[in-house]
């Protein structure tokens, strides 16, 4: 008996014992490694005939499932696309699909097999049997991937952390909670990258199917949905879960191909994105513009986003009361995120907060934080000629070195937007203006804490007494007394110092118990800048210039 026959006998015996046995998948790998593609396909198809329930499965087990399922999908896609040929003349192909040759150069299909059709003659020429096999395998590919996608969509491993657990460090008693329940102290870059990896693998699986099956009727909605999910995995609503600087490209299986697929999806998504005729849906469009643009900045690639949102069909106007040259909110959002234009960003953020209904609160706060990151080089906390020295900032804010010097009026306009946002978060308006995930109250609380933290970081770095007063009032703290803004009195300096201590204490309290190393204290390498360490919990980052900071913090994709 030859080795191939021996493998086949072992396979059929394993199927008799248990169709989902581990041995069947391993035999599928053996068949594939030896080039017996028809038998490999049969083994994988039997193994995945019953997909597991993954709702509460550990992320590592989900990753193992995706790795295996991807191998099945890629093999099936290769056959459908004719990259791998399964010919009726091959005895293995005949055995697997029940194809029987006849004397007159025809083929028949055995009753009860994959290709047999009831109430049909089931007699084919060679070309016809090839077409039938391809059509049926294509349908099978689509069916299995969509079945798997529906299971994956409710798996906890893909969801964010439960805000109740993060806020209160207590067990969540809600039975149907679809979120992860890691303790605050366990949230680190490893978990963050593991979740991003799962999203990238699933997107790659879907794309393998789309590339050979084609763009069917709900293709665009699935692409948009998964880009939304990937966005939430990279730009976590709960800031202590991780952020873009934590991305570790070595932690992603087949990273170059997966990121390449996402870049293609971003390109397609932005081409399809347009406001509808119903103005009430403009906010959905603008939220998608924020998500897609942020993904583009995180993952890189070539995509001229401004070109697409500048189209007349993509224009969301500010309204007649604002006499603006471009008068396009979506264009200003992209300009703010891609070109680091805070003026456009403040205009767009104010529009969203004044007019938005049913918005994504996390996306709006991400947008606000990206605008905030463009202002840091203008704060000059040390009062020295080096604008970045002595800054206390999240690493995400300093990933790009070409941030502009911003006029004080722009910073004040941004703080006015933050005051409006904080007022919304503290009132019942938040439930009317934003579409909030469950549990809604805890989610609002975690976002409120995030915005307070951002304001405290700004307040710690600001030396302008007028801006400091605005920040203190927004945080409901006693504001400093403002006299001569140019020549600060000793009392003013003491008030600023006290506020800075309060802000630092608040920041450290909000980050307490977290494994995240989000914040850094920037210190210039020049020996004349003598700067004490702010806190043992906040590492110092020594730099020569802005480009040096960017190189130390940013990890661009190496492909």
């Amino acid at each position: 008996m030859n080795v191939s026959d021996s493998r086949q006998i072992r396979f059929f015996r394993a199927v008799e014992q248990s169709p989902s046995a581990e041995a069947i998948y391993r035999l599928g790998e053996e068949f594939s490694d030896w080039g017996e593609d028809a038998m490999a396909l049969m083994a994988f198809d039997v193994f995945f005939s019953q997909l597991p329930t993954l709702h509460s499965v550990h992320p590592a087990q989900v990753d193992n499932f995706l790795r295996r399922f991807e191998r099945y999908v890629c093999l099936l896609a290769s056959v459908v696309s004719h990259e791998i040929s399964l010919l009726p003349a091959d005895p293995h192909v005949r055995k697997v699909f029940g194809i029987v040759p006849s004397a007159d150069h025809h083929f028949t299909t055995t009753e009860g097999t994959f290709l047999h059709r009831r109430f049909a003659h089931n007699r084919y020429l060679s070309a016809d049997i090839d077409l039938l096999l391809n059509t049926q395998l294509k349908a099978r590919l689509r069916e299995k991937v969509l079945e798997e996608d529906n299971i994956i969509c409710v798996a906890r491993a893909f969801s964010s952390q439960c805000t109740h657990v993060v806020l209160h460090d207590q067990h969540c008693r809600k039975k149907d909670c679809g979120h992860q329940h890691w303790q605050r102290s366990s949230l680190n870059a490893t978990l963050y990258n593991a979740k991003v990896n799962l999203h990238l693998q699933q997107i790659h699986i879907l794309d393998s199917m789309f590339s050979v099956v084609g763009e069917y009727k709900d293709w665009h909605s699935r692409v948009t949905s998964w880009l939304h999910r990937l966005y939430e995995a990279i730009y976590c609503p709960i800031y202590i879960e991780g952020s873009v600087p934590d991305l570790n490209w070595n932690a992603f299986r087949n990273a170059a191909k997966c990121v390449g697929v996402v870049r293609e999806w971003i390109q397609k998504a932005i081409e399809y994105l347009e406001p509808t005729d119903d103005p009430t849906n403009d906010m959905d469009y603008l939220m998608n513009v924020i998500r897609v643009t942020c993904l583009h900045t995180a993952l890189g690639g070539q995509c001229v986003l401004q070109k697409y949102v500048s189209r007349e069909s993509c224009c969301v106007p500010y309204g007649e009361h604002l006499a603006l040259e471009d008068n396009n909110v979506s264009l200003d959002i992209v300009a703010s995120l891609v070109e680091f234009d805070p003026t456009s960003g403040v205009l767009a953020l104010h529009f969203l907060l004044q007019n938005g209904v049913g918005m994504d609160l996390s996306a709006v706060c991400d947008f606000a934080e990206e605008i905030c990151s463009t202002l840091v080089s203008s704060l000059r906390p040390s009062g020295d000629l080096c604008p970045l020295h002595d800054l206390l900032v999240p690493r995400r804010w300093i990933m790009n070195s070409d941030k502009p010097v911003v006029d004080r009026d722009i910073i004040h306009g941004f703080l006015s937007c933050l005051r409006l946002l904080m007022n919304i978060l503290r009132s019942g308006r938040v439930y009317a203006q934003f579409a909030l995930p469950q549990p809604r109250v805890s989610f609002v609380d975690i976002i409120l804490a995030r915005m307070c933290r951002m304001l405290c970081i700004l307040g710690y770095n600001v030396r302008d007494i007028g801006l400091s007063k605005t920040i203190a009032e927004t945080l409901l703290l006693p504001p400093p007394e403002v006299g001569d803004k140019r020549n600060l009195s000793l009392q003013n300096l003491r008030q600023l110092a006290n506020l800075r201590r309060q802000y630092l204490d608040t920041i450290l309290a909000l980050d307490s118990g977290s494994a995240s190393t989000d914040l850094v204290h920037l210190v210039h390498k020049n020996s004349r800048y003598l700067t004490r360490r702010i806190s043992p919990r906040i590492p110092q980052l020594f730099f020569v210039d802005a480009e040096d900071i960017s190189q130390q913090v940013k990890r661009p994709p190496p492909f």
Side-chain angles (χ1 to χ4, degrees):
M1 183 186 298
N2 62 39
V3 177
S4 178
D5 290 341
S6 174
R7 273 195 297 269
Q8 291 179 38
I9 290 171
R10 283 159 50 209
F11 167 69
F12 289 115
R13 284 178 177 170
V15 171
E16 282 184 344
Q17 293 174 2
S18 173
S20 59
E22 184 73 16
I24 292 176
Y25 182 81
R26 289 200 297 269
L27 281 165
E29 289 183 311
E30 281 188 47
F31 287 130
S32 182
D33 291 342
W34 284 94
E36 299 178 39
D37 297 312
M39 287 302 301
L41 195 57
M42 185 179 193
F44 290 150
D45 196 72
V46 169
F47 183 77
F48 290 110
S49 58
Q50 284 283 77
L51 294 178
T53 301
L54 300 171
H55 179 263
S56 302
V57 174
H58 191 278
Q61 293 174 275
V62 176
D63 184 43
N64 187 50
F65 166 80
L66 290 175
R67 178 181 59 80
R68 292 178 161 191
F69 190 75
E70 180 187 9
R71 184 162 188 176
Y72 165 53
V73 168
C74 288
L75 177 59
L76 193 48
S78 296
V79 172
V80 171
S81 64
H82 302 292
E83 189 178 325
I84 293 176
S85 298
L86 295 184
L87 303 173
D90 186 330
H92 286 158
V93 175
R94 293 179 189 173
K95 185 184 296 184
V96 168
F97 295 103
I99 300 172
V100 180
S102 60
D104 56 354
H105 305 291
H106 282 72
F107 295 89
T108 60
T109 55
T110 307
E111 186 175 353
T113 58
F114 179 66
L115 296 179
H116 186 81
R117 295 185 296 174
R118 294 181 65 187
F119 312 117
H121 56 78
N122 290 295
R123 190 166 178 270
Y124 307 93
L125 291 170
S126 178
D128 295 331
I129 198 77
D130 280 343
L131 180 60
L132 175 64
L133 179 60
N134 187 269
T135 302
Q136 293 295 89
L137 289 177
K138 184 182 288 187
R140 182 67 170 171
L141 173 61
R142 181 173 183 268
E143 173 195 345
K144 292 305 294 183
V145 171
L146 294 185
E147 180 188 357
E148 180 262 0
D149 189 52
N150 290 334
I151 291 171
I152 287 297
C153 281
V154 295
R156 278 184 181 171
F158 287 80
S159 68
S160 60
Q161 299 300 318
C162 175
T163 50
H164 177 84
V165 174
V166 173
L167 274 174
H168 306 291
D169 208 19
Q170 297 175 351
H171 178 68
C172 175
R173 295 190 177 93
K174 193 174 181 181
K175 290 183 179 180
D176 58 345
C177 179
H179 297 281
Q180 296 189 55
H181 290 155
W182 295 98
Q183 293 300 310
R184 188 183 179 97
S185 57
S186 300
L187 301 179
N188 54 31
T190 302
L191 272 180
Y192 171 78
N193 282 291
K195 186 165 69 170
V196 174
N197 176 60
L198 293 181
H199 284 76
L200 291 174
Q201 302 313 315
Q202 181 60 16
I203 287 172
H204 182 233
I205 287 170
L206 284 166
D207 190 72
S208 299
M209 183 267 287
F210 289 144
S211 62
V212 295
V213 170
E215 300 174 2
Y216 58 95
K217 60 181 180 180
D218 64 343
W219 165 83
H220 181 249
S221 64
R222 285 201 183 250
V223 166
T224 305
S225 173
W226 271 103
L227 287 178
H228 183 178
R229 294 169 73 95
L230 177 63
Y231 166 80
E232 288 193 337
I234 294 177
Y235 292 86
C236 302
I238 303 173
Y239 66 91
I240 60 173
E241 285 192 65
S243 61
V244 177
D246 292 314
L247 288 173
N248 179 5
W249 308 105
N250 294 323
F252 309 141
R253 187 169 63 255
N254 205 356
K257 183 171 282 188
C258 290
V259 172
V261 167
V262 175
R263 289 170 179 169
E264 290 176 10
W265 280 24
I266 289 172
Q267 179 80 34
K268 292 177 180 178
I270 203 72
E271 288 175 14
Y272 276 86
L273 280 179
E274 287 184 359
T276 64
D277 293 332
D278 184 357
T280 59
N281 292 328
D282 285 350
M283 290 301 151
D284 287 338
Y285 163 71
L286 294 175
M287 295 300 103
N288 280 323
V289 169
I290 292 174
R291 296 182 194 114
V292 169
T293 309
C294 286
L295 281 176
H296 167 65
T297 59
L299 301 178
Q302 300 298 318
C303 184
V304 188
L305 294 163
Q306 292 94 325
K307 171 186 172 183
Y308 295 109
V309 296
S310 297
R311 294 173 296 181
E312 186 177 349
S313 59
C314 294
C315 179
V316 176
Y318 282 97
E320 297 177 359
H321 61 287
L322 278 178
L324 299 173
E325 184 179 346
D326 292 317
N327 195 24
N328 186 348
V329 182
S330 54
L331 183 60
D332 282 347
I333 288 174
V334 173
S336 173
L337 295 172
V338 174
E339 299 174 355
F340 313 117
D341 180 354
T343 305
S344 298
V346 170
L347 280 171
L349 180 61
H350 186 264
F351 174 85
L352 293 174
L353 296 175
Q354 287 282 26
N355 301 281
V357 176
M359 295 186 294
D360 181 339
L361 177 55
S362 180
V364 171
C365 291
D366 285 334
F367 183 49
E369 191 164 342
E370 291 299 321
I371 299 169
C372 189
S373 74
T374 64
L375 310 178
V376 291
S377 60
S378 304
L379 299 178
R380 296 182 180 272
S382 65
D384 200 280
L385 292 176
C386 179
L388 300 175
H389 174 67
D390 205 26
L391 271 176
L392 172 65
V393 284
R395 289 175 298 141
R396 172 179 162 185
W397 293 12
I398 49 175
M399 288 177 61
N400 294 285
S401 58
D402 48 354
K403 300 290 177 69
V405 176
V406 180
D407 187 84
R408 183 184 184 279
D409 290 340
I410 300 298
I411 301 176
H412 195 273
F414 174 69
L415 291 176
S416 297
C417 288
L418 287 189
R419 175 179 286 187
L420 176 57
L421 176 57
M422 293 294 283
N423 289 339
I424 293 170
L425 291 172
R426 293 180 181 126
S427 69
R429 288 172 58 194
V430 67
Y431 300 102
Q433 285 196 241
F434 296 97
L436 303 170
Q438 295 292 344
R440 297 200 304 170
V441 174
S442 293
F443 187 79
V444 172
D445 287 344
I446 206 86
I447 294 295
L448 189 58
R450 174 183 169 184
M451 290 295 100
C452 283
R453 180 179 185 264
M454 187 173 78
L455 279 162
C456 285
I457 293 170
L458 275 176
Y460 182 85
N461 291 299
V462 160
R463 289 177 60 86
D464 183 297
I465 191 74
L467 296 177
S468 182
K469 179 176 185 293
T470 302
I471 293 170
E473 289 173 343
T474 305
L475 288 168
L476 307 182
L477 294 173
E481 296 177 7
V482 178
D484 187 344
K485 294 180 182 179
R486 293 186 178 180
N487 299 309
L488 298 182
S489 66
L490 184 60
Q491 182 184 4
N492 289 149
L493 293 173
R494 286 173 179 165
Q495 288 176 321
L496 280 175
N498 289 334
L499 279 172
R500 290 189 84 197
R501 279 194 293 270
Q502 280 186 268
Y503 293 144
L504 180 60
D505 290 343
T506 303
I507 293 164
L508 293 173
L510 289 170
D511 290 356
S512 176
S514 168
S516 170
T517 55
D518 175 50
L519 287 173
V520 291
H521 178 209
L522 300 184
V523 179
H524 199 281
K525 285 184 178 179
N526 192 318
S527 58
R528 70 188 179 89
Y529 294 107
L530 298 175
T531 307
R532 65 180 179 82
R533 186 156 189 166
I534 295 175
S535 165
R537 289 164 51 189
I538 301 175
Q540 291 183 316
L541 192 154
F542 295 91
F543 69 97
V544 175
D545 52 27
E547 186 63 34
D548 182 29
I549 295 172
S550 179
Q551 289 176 356
Q552 292 188 63
V553 173
K554 193 174 183 180
R555 297 180 182 177
F559 33 76

